[in-house]
């Protein structure tokens, strides 16, 4: 009849005590020693026990999860590493949930997501009204007001910082650092969301801009359609 359980005030370790470890070392008299199982401090203590029994310190190694140990007749040491640890698999079983994906899912569950789409032309102006959608975001602020603030941030960056991201080449062709502009807008929006919402929703910013710059001879068109490209960035 085994009595166990915290409610009985009894705890028995499943590991051997130090004297039992000493007995095993004395019986086997190992040339090399590899302490295993337990936290790092336990491995260190185990190695000290082996040293007290005559095993040289240079003939033992303390390892971490994933370490590959090479053993020869004359040496013992870490020679490589392999992936290790806990891997999460989603319900579809189609793949492993990476750390960044898990972080995004946790962020979605806790604070929701804000999706913003903005079309910006080579002249540094919005080509259309900014589209903003909130999903799972809890706030006392009126959604329309929040959308208005987001639009004002984008317009403010374009008005005040456009010259930092655009320049004109010698042949008169404009060049724009679209990625730098997008990152700057995202940072400003994310800062505002944290401040006003007191939370950190996942931000998905879709910035659409013309694919090809106008030539120096080309005149601005007042009508018609133009080719565009879009980029999406997830900011945590």
């Amino acid at each position: 009849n085994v009595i166990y359980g915290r409610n009985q005030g009894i705890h028995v370790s499943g590991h051997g005590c130090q004297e039992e470890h000493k007995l095993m070392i004395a019986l086997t008299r190992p040339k090399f020693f590899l302490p295993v199982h337990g936290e790092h401090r336990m491995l260190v203590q185990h190695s000290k026990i082996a040293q007290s029994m005559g095993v040289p310190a240079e003939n033992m190694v303390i390892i971490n999860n994933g370490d590959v140990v090479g053993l020869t007749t004359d040496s013992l040491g870490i020679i490589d590493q392999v992936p290790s640890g806990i891997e999460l698999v989603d319900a579809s079983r189609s793949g492993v949930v990476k750390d960044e994906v898990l972080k995004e899912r946790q962020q979605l569950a806790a604070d929701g997501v804000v999706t913003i789409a903005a079309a910006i032309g080579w002249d540094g102006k919005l080509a259309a009204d900014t589209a903003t959608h909130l999903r799972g975001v809890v706030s006392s602020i009126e959604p329309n007001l929040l959308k208005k603030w987001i639009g004002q941030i984008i317009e403010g960056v374009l008005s005040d910082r456009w010259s930092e991201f655009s320049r004109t080449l010698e042949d008169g062709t404009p060049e724009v650092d679209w990625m730098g502009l997008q990152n700057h807008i995202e940072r400003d929006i994310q800062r505002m969301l944290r401040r006003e919402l007191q939370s950190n929703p996942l931000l998905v910013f879709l910035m659409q801009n013309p694919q090809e710059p106008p030539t120096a001879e080309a005149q601005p068109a007042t009508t018609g359609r133009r080719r565009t490209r879009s980029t999406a960035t997830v900011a945590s």
Side-chain angles (χ1 to χ4, degrees):
N1 182 23
V2 180
I3 300 174
Y4 62 93
R6 293 185 180 275
N7 59 338
Q8 300 292 336
I10 296 174
H11 173 73
V12 179
S13 173
H15 302 279
C17 64
Q18 293 191 30
E19 294 305 316
E20 290 173 321
H21 283 292
K22 290 179 181 179
L23 175 61
M24 290 298 298
I25 294 172
L27 292 173
T28 56
R29 301 177 62 84
K31 178 180 179 180
F32 299 105
F33 188 78
L34 182 69
V36 295
H37 197 72
E39 298 175 0
H40 182 79
R41 61 184 178 86
M42 299 175 183
L43 302 182
V44 172
Q45 186 61 31
H46 200 184
S47 69
K48 290 180 179 179
I49 294 174
Q51 291 178 50
S52 72
M53 296 297 294
V55 181
E58 60 270 19
N59 283 9
M60 60 183 68
V61 62
I62 297 176
I63 60 175
N64 295 311
N65 290 340
D67 288 340
V68 178
V69 177
L71 176 63
T72 69
T73 55
D74 301 315
S75 65
L76 173 74
I78 299 172
I79 60 173
D80 197 4
Q81 278 194 326
V82 296
S84 64
I86 298 174
E87 289 188 336
L88 302 178
V89 181
D90 64 10
S92 66
R93 304 274 180 183
S94 60
V96 176
V97 180
K98 301 297 183 182
D99 290 343
E100 58 271 18
V101 175
L102 180 60
K103 180 181 177 181
E104 289 178 359
R105 290 185 176 185
Q106 291 172 331
Q107 196 172 1
L108 282 168
D111 300 318
V113 59
V114 177
T115 304
I116 304 168
I120 302 173
W122 287 97
D123 56 358
K125 300 182 182 300
L126 286 170
D129 293 337
T130 301
T132 302
H133 300 279
L134 284 68
R135 295 292 183 270
V137 177
V138 179
S139 173
S140 59
I141 301 174
E142 180 67 28
N144 288 335
L145 180 59
L146 194 62
K147 294 177 182 180
K148 179 181 178 181
W149 289 344
I150 291 173
Q152 290 175 343
I153 289 176
I154 297 175
E155 291 177 348
V157 172
L158 295 177
S159 174
D160 301 335
R161 300 296 183 89
W162 177 252
S163 59
E164 298 179 17
F165 302 98
S166 66
R167 67 190 183 103
T168 303
L169 302 179
E170 293 181 358
D171 62 357
T173 303
E175 183 179 70
V176 178
D177 178 11
W178 296 110
M179 185 58 67
L181 176 65
Q182 180 168 342
N183 291 337
H184 188 92
I185 294 175
E186 285 174 352
R187 286 195 299 268
D188 285 3
I189 294 176
Q190 192 71 69
R191 192 179 299 116
M192 182 275 291
L193 292 175
R194 291 195 187 104
R195 181 182 66 249
E196 299 298 337
L197 300 179
Q198 295 297 305
S199 63
N200 187 28
L202 187 69
L203 174 61
V204 180
F205 181 55
L206 307 170
M207 191 175 78
Q208 195 174 48
N209 54 272
Q211 186 172 4
E212 298 177 358
T215 61
E217 296 79 11
Q219 296 295 324
T222 57
T223 60
R225 301 174 62 184
R226 56 177 164 180
R227 297 171 59 191
T228 61
R229 65 180 179 183
S230 62
T231 56
T233 301
V234 176
S236 59

Short mmCIF file of all heavy atoms in Angstrom, two decimals, residues 14 16 36 53 84 91 102 114 116 121 176 178 190 200 226 228:
data_model
loop_
_atom_site.label_atom_id
_atom_site.label_comp_id
_atom_site.label_asym_id
_atom_site.label_seq_id
_atom_site.Cartn_x
_atom_site.Cartn_y
_atom_site.Cartn_z
N GLY A 14 11.95 10.57 -6.95
CA GLY A 14 12.16 9.41 -7.81
C GLY A 14 13.62 9.20 -8.15
O GLY A 14 13.98 8.22 -8.81
N GLY A 16 17.78 8.79 -7.19
CA GLY A 16 18.63 8.24 -6.14
C GLY A 16 19.28 9.36 -5.35
O GLY A 16 19.52 10.45 -5.86
N VAL A 36 23.21 13.38 -16.24
CA VAL A 36 22.01 13.59 -17.05
C VAL A 36 20.79 13.70 -16.15
O VAL A 36 20.81 13.29 -14.99
CB VAL A 36 21.78 12.43 -18.06
CG1 VAL A 36 22.90 12.39 -19.08
CG2 VAL A 36 21.68 11.10 -17.33
N MET A 53 34.59 11.13 -6.27
CA MET A 53 34.84 9.68 -6.35
C MET A 53 36.01 9.36 -7.25
O MET A 53 36.24 8.19 -7.58
CB MET A 53 33.58 8.97 -6.84
CG MET A 53 32.39 9.10 -5.91
SD MET A 53 32.70 8.33 -4.30
CE MET A 53 32.82 6.60 -4.78
N SER A 84 15.92 21.02 -30.53
CA SER A 84 15.32 20.32 -29.40
C SER A 84 14.31 21.23 -28.72
O SER A 84 14.24 22.42 -29.01
CB SER A 84 16.40 19.92 -28.38
OG SER A 84 17.01 21.06 -27.84
N ALA A 91 -4.32 22.32 -34.79
CA ALA A 91 -5.35 21.28 -34.91
C ALA A 91 -5.34 20.62 -36.28
O ALA A 91 -5.74 19.47 -36.43
CB ALA A 91 -6.73 21.87 -34.62
N LEU A 102 2.93 31.71 -32.86
CA LEU A 102 2.27 31.59 -31.57
C LEU A 102 2.09 32.95 -30.92
O LEU A 102 1.04 33.26 -30.35
CB LEU A 102 3.09 30.68 -30.65
CG LEU A 102 2.51 30.44 -29.25
CD1 LEU A 102 1.14 29.79 -29.33
CD2 LEU A 102 3.47 29.60 -28.41
N VAL A 114 -5.91 45.20 -35.99
CA VAL A 114 -6.27 46.40 -36.73
C VAL A 114 -5.66 46.29 -38.12
O VAL A 114 -4.45 46.13 -38.27
CB VAL A 114 -5.74 47.67 -36.04
CG1 VAL A 114 -6.06 48.91 -36.88
CG2 VAL A 114 -6.34 47.81 -34.64
N ILE A 116 -5.16 48.07 -41.84
CA ILE A 116 -5.19 49.39 -42.48
C ILE A 116 -4.70 49.25 -43.92
O ILE A 116 -3.67 48.60 -44.17
CB ILE A 116 -4.30 50.39 -41.74
CG1 ILE A 116 -4.72 50.48 -40.26
CG2 ILE A 116 -4.35 51.76 -42.40
CD1 ILE A 116 -3.73 51.21 -39.39
N GLY A 121 0.56 57.79 -53.77
CA GLY A 121 1.12 58.05 -55.08
C GLY A 121 2.54 58.57 -55.02
O GLY A 121 3.09 58.85 -53.96
N VAL A 176 11.56 56.53 -54.40
CA VAL A 176 10.94 56.57 -53.07
C VAL A 176 11.33 55.32 -52.29
O VAL A 176 11.30 54.20 -52.82
CB VAL A 176 9.41 56.67 -53.17
CG1 VAL A 176 8.78 56.66 -51.77
CG2 VAL A 176 8.99 57.92 -53.92
N TRP A 178 9.91 53.16 -50.29
CA TRP A 178 8.57 52.77 -49.84
C TRP A 178 8.61 51.96 -48.55
O TRP A 178 7.76 52.13 -47.67
CB TRP A 178 7.87 51.96 -50.94
CG TRP A 178 7.61 52.73 -52.20
CD1 TRP A 178 8.21 52.57 -53.41
CD2 TRP A 178 6.67 53.81 -52.37
NE1 TRP A 178 7.72 53.47 -54.32
CE2 TRP A 178 6.76 54.24 -53.71
CE3 TRP A 178 5.76 54.44 -51.52
CZ2 TRP A 178 5.99 55.28 -54.23
CZ3 TRP A 178 4.99 55.48 -52.02
CH2 TRP A 178 5.10 55.89 -53.35
N GLN A 190 1.30 52.31 -34.40
CA GLN A 190 1.39 51.38 -33.29
C GLN A 190 1.55 52.13 -31.97
O GLN A 190 0.95 51.77 -30.94
CB GLN A 190 2.59 50.44 -33.48
CG GLN A 190 2.60 49.25 -32.53
CD GLN A 190 1.52 48.24 -32.85
OE1 GLN A 190 1.59 47.58 -33.88
NE2 GLN A 190 0.54 48.12 -32.00
N ASN A 200 -2.21 46.25 -27.04
CA ASN A 200 -1.28 46.10 -28.17
C ASN A 200 -1.88 45.20 -29.24
O ASN A 200 -1.47 44.05 -29.41
CB ASN A 200 0.05 45.53 -27.67
CG ASN A 200 1.11 45.51 -28.75
OD1 ASN A 200 1.10 46.33 -29.66
ND2 ASN A 200 2.02 44.55 -28.65
N ARG A 226 -4.02 53.10 -63.28
CA ARG A 226 -2.60 52.86 -63.27
C ARG A 226 -2.31 51.57 -62.52
O ARG A 226 -3.05 51.17 -61.63
CB ARG A 226 -1.86 54.03 -62.61
CG ARG A 226 -2.32 54.37 -61.20
CD ARG A 226 -1.46 55.49 -60.66
NE ARG A 226 -2.07 56.11 -59.49
CZ ARG A 226 -1.53 57.12 -58.83
NH1 ARG A 226 -0.38 57.58 -59.21
NH2 ARG A 226 -2.14 57.65 -57.79
N THR A 228 -0.58 49.18 -59.92
CA THR A 228 -0.12 49.38 -58.56
C THR A 228 0.40 48.08 -58.00
O THR A 228 0.16 47.01 -58.53
CB THR A 228 -1.25 49.88 -57.65
OG1 THR A 228 -2.28 48.89 -57.62
CG2 THR A 228 -1.81 51.19 -58.13
#
